[in-house]
Amino acid sequence: MALLDKKYSNIHTKTGDEKIALKQKYDDGHINTLLDLAEQQINPEFGALLYQIQEMQDDITEVRRYLTQEVGDGAKGDTGPQGPQGQAGSNGSDGADGKDAGVYGSDLKILPNQFMSNDDGKALNFAVIEDDNKSTIGVRVNEADCELFAMLPIPEGKSVSSFQVFASDRLTTTLSVVDYTNGSVQNVAIGDTTKAISLGKKPLASTSTNYVSITVVTTATNQVIYGAKLTLT
């Protein structure tokens, strides 16, 4: 509810020195003359008037105390009921690229345990961790007729410009691109484990369905693969 308009009028229009003169009369105690006249029953109506003025002054004093001591900067009403939930805000901006998933700088690291054997052996075969030499660790085949494969996706928005396999021997290695929806394979680059193998002028870009497969042609069970890497652009 809005504040109503005032109903009273000014008791006097004195300003400046004239108002100061009125205050001086009050300070001199002339207000008590009205009280004396009321008590002496000369003008009893003055008593009623003074009573009402004092009541109004008490009310004003209480309002002033409440505003300055309890309200402060502004009155606070009771907490209202909780409003309806607002709509979800817009998504925040993408954070900075992380260093997870084996990516360091422009290299995507491939660990030995990511290689597995194919089925070229005479019996059920599998790749094993080679740690007989306590100063090195890697992976090898359990039968010489087998090859090792590592398969992994290309990070979204990236392309593969070269790859390299690190091994104990010079071994032939191939990078292929595979469609994971139907298994179709296409060779992209071939080389050996002595150097990085470039994919040429056209790097292999990531798509929604492709991944890369690295094949290492092992010829003996003592040939160890230490790891590999893809160079990303």
Side-chain angles (χ1 to χ4, degrees), residues 112-113 115-117 125-132 137-144 146-148 168 171 218 220-226:
N113 66 332
F115 285 88
M116 62 184 299
S117 173
N125 191 29
F126 50 89
V128 295
I129 297 298
E130 176 58 56
D131 64 344
D132 290 345
I137 192 170
V139 66
R140 66 172 177 83
V141 293
N142 213 23
E143 190 169 328
C146 295
E147 289 84 43
L148 291 173
S168 61
L171 304 173
T218 52
T221 58
N222 63 348
Q223 296 167 340
V224 181
I225 307 303
Y226 303 125

Side-chain angles (χ1 to χ4, degrees), residues 135-213:
S135 62
T136 60
I137 192 170
V139 66
R140 66 172 177 83
V141 293
N142 213 23
E143 190 169 328
D145 291 336
C146 295
E147 289 84 43
L148 291 173
F149 291 77
M151 304 173 188
L152 61 162
I154 307 169
E156 183 178 358
K158 300 292 186 179
S159 299
V160 177
S161 60
S162 67
F163 76 103
Q164 185 172 3
V165 176
F166 304 98
S168 61
D169 298 79
R170 182 173 182 172
L171 304 173
T172 299
T173 181
T174 303
L175 183 139
S176 304
V177 59
V178 186
D179 186 329
Y180 84 93
T181 65
N182 56 27
S184 61
V185 182
Q186 180 180 351
N187 291 342
V188 177
I190 187 170
D192 61 52
T193 56
T194 62
K195 61 183 178 180
I197 302 164
S198 173
L199 272 60
K201 296 181 179 180
K202 189 176 181 181
L204 178 61
S206 172
T207 71
S208 61
T209 60
N210 73 351
Y211 66 89
V212 297
S213 174

Side-chain angles (χ1 to χ4, degrees), residues 94-100 103 105 155-158:
D94 293 337
D97 292 337
K99 299 300 182 184
D100 56 351
V103 177
E156 183 178 358
K158 300 292 186 179

Side-chain angles (χ1 to χ4, degrees), residues 24 39 43 56 62 69 81 92 105 120 154 160 162 165 177 184 228:
Q24 185 61 51
E39 290 177 346
N43 292 101
M56 293 171 58
E62 172 59 16
Q69 296 182 16
D120 286 354
I154 307 169
V160 177
S162 67
V165 176
V177 59
S184 61

Side-chain angles (χ1 to χ4, degrees), residues 81-124:
Q82 182 175 348
Q85 182 174 348
Q87 296 181 345
S90 58
N91 293 332
S93 58
D94 293 337
D97 292 337
K99 299 300 182 184
D100 56 351
V103 177
Y104 188 88
S106 61
D107 290 339
L108 174 57
K109 293 180 284 188
I110 304 168
L111 306 184
N113 66 332
Q114 293 177 264
F115 285 88
M116 62 184 299
S117 173
N118 64 1
D119 61 353
D120 286 354
K122 296 178 182 179
L124 181 62

Side-chain angles (χ1 to χ4, degrees), residues 6-130:
K6 69 175 183 177
K7 298 180 179 180
Y8 62 87
S9 299
N10 292 335
I11 296 175
H12 65 81
T13 59
K14 303 297 184 181
T15 61
D17 291 341
E18 292 181 337
K19 186 175 181 181
I20 293 174
L22 286 177
K23 181 179 182 302
Q24 185 61 51
K25 289 182 173 59
Y26 175 83
D27 293 341
D28 291 342
H30 290 296
I31 188 70
N32 294 322
T33 301
L34 297 177
L35 183 61
D36 293 341
L37 292 173
E39 290 177 346
Q40 295 171 12
Q41 298 298 318
I42 298 175
N43 292 101
E45 65 274 13
F46 288 165
L49 178 62
L50 289 173
Y51 173 78
Q52 286 297 323
I53 292 174
Q54 184 62 50
E55 290 291 290
M56 293 171 58
Q57 188 178 54
D58 291 344
D59 283 343
I60 293 171
T61 300
E62 172 59 16
V63 170
R64 181 179 179 84
R65 183 203 63 79
Y66 176 75
L67 290 175
T68 57
Q69 296 182 16
E70 298 187 27
V71 175
D73 293 336
K76 180 180 180 181
D78 296 335
T79 301
Q82 182 175 348
Q85 182 174 348
Q87 296 181 345
S90 58
N91 293 332
S93 58
D94 293 337
D97 292 337
K99 299 300 182 184
D100 56 351
V103 177
Y104 188 88
S106 61
D107 290 339
L108 174 57
K109 293 180 284 188
I110 304 168
L111 306 184
N113 66 332
Q114 293 177 264
F115 285 88
M116 62 184 299
S117 173
N118 64 1
D119 61 353
D120 286 354
K122 296 178 182 179
L124 181 62
N125 191 29
F126 50 89
V128 295
I129 297 298
E130 176 58 56

